Amino acid sequence: MTTAPADLPLPAGVRRGEDHGADAVLVDTPAARAVLHLDGAHLTSWAPAGTTDVLWLSPDSAFGHGAAIRGGVPLVGPWFGPGRHGDQEIKHGWLRNVRWTLERAEAAGEDVVLHLVSPADRTELSARLVVRIGAELSLDLTLTAGTALEVEAALHTYLAVSDVRRVRIEGLGGAEYLDNTRGLAADVLPAGDLVLTGSTDRVVDRAGEVRIVDEGAGRTIVSSPRGTARTVVWNPWTELAAGMADVPDDSWPGFLCLEPAVAKDAAVDLAAGDSLTIGVTYTVLG
């Protein structure tokens, strides 16, 4: 299946290739290295110059057309989980299960900007993803309704950490949240930094900057979202990870999912032709 015109010009440091046997766009510039799979428009790696990878990728993940890659930045939409009414068969929507097209690639200073579009045969919704790769990473996902739709969306980022039990999450203290480990029970986070102590799946009513302070890795990852209404915090912990075929039993301490989202009671009703854009920029300090 064609994923980009053969004569599509690519800037220096960008090439077509394969990763884990699947079509990918490979970026290697003085500013950063990155890998983006065309299946799902799925960014699986981003490492600014002089750093280790900021994204976690499961060694047991599936790859290829129709696969849901475990790790990196899965695109969630046009619904979240099983949907608002719990009746959707494809978990987290179809954006991550279809082949996208690389429409354009360009240099912007030291950065590389990739423009991708979803398949044209999905007439109920079209999607566009813009990924800017450099010392910072920015992703902007735009969903445009072909017919009236209720839309949820998220950028389900798996951030690589030294030990999820020892990182501090700044910026969510005191926020209301829905706890998906307790049937979406409403609760309020305590003031101050958040430290995870067990299986966590929280849809937090906060859409501002969040910092993941990882003293073990000697760095802080800053998440600066836009166009979002919620922040989802997730880690399966021991018991749930043991039941996940694509997550090694001992690997869950190595990641923290922190995702900008428009989900649950913050879902958006779009009329035909209307669009929703959510985005995030990640910066590494230290």
Side-chain angles (χ1 to χ4, degrees):
M1 183 180 295
T2 300
T3 55
D7 59 351
L8 180 72
L10 300 177
V14 180
R15 64 183 178 89
R16 301 176 186 84
E18 288 192 352
D19 180 72
H20 292 87
D23 292 335
V25 179
L26 309 176
V27 177
D28 190 352
T29 70
R33 292 176 290 104
V35 177
L36 186 140
H37 282 242
L38 291 161
D39 292 303
H42 197 131
L43 189 72
T44 58
S45 174
W46 169 58
T51 72
T52 58
D53 211 311
V54 181
L55 304 179
W56 181 87
L57 180 65
S58 174
D60 291 347
S61 179
F63 296 90
H65 189 55
I69 298 172
R70 175 71 70 180
V73 188
L75 303 182
V76 173
W79 57 83
F80 186 89
R84 289 290 308 284
H85 307 292
D87 57 352
Q88 298 289 352
E89 294 182 6
I90 302 174
K91 186 176 181 182
H92 290 321
W94 53 264
L95 295 182
R96 63 181 184 159
N97 298 110
V98 296
R99 180 71 62 94
W100 291 57
T101 297
L102 178 64
E103 183 181 63
R104 188 166 85 254
E106 58 196 6
E110 295 185 345
D111 297 349
V112 166
V113 184
L114 306 177
H115 300 256
L116 299 105
V117 293
S118 63
D121 60 357
R122 298 302 301 238
T123 57
E124 78 277 20
L125 183 88
S126 63
R128 175 176 294 274
L129 179 70
V130 180
V131 185
R132 184 166 181 145
I133 298 163
E136 296 182 333
L137 170 67
S138 290
L139 303 101
D140 288 279
L141 175 65
T142 299
L143 307 180
T144 302
T147 184
L149 287 175
E150 181 184 67
V151 172
E152 297 175 284
L155 300 167
H156 184 44
T157 309
Y158 287 73
L159 297 170
V161 296
S162 59
D163 189 328
V164 72
R165 296 163 293 190
R166 293 179 173 84
V167 301
R168 293 184 287 109
I169 305 171
E170 299 178 348
L172 299 179
E176 297 180 354
Y177 71 97
L178 301 176
D179 191 341
N180 206 26
T181 68
R182 296 186 287 130
L184 293 176
D187 209 332
V188 178
L189 291 171
D193 299 343
L194 174 62
V195 177
L196 305 191
T197 58
S199 179
T200 302
D201 190 355
R202 298 173 180 175
V203 183
V204 184
D205 188 9
R206 187 66 59 82
E209 179 182 285
V210 178
R211 294 182 172 229
I212 300 91
V213 181
D214 187 353
E215 294 180 358
R219 69 185 184 189
T220 294
I221 302 171
V222 183
S223 169
S224 303
R226 49 193 168 271
T228 62
R230 300 288 185 272
T231 297
V232 178
V233 182
W234 180 76
N235 182 280
W237 229 254
T238 308
E239 185 173 340
L240 289 182
M244 302 170 71
D246 56 359
V247 176
D249 291 353
D250 60 352
S251 68
W252 60 266
F255 67 85
L256 169 67
C257 285
L258 186 84
E259 59 192 283
V262 174
K264 303 301 182 184
D265 58 334
V268 175
D269 289 317
L270 296 181
D274 287 351
S275 297
L276 166 70
T277 298
I278 67 170
V280 65
T281 295
Y282 293 104
T283 307
V284 180
L285 306 177

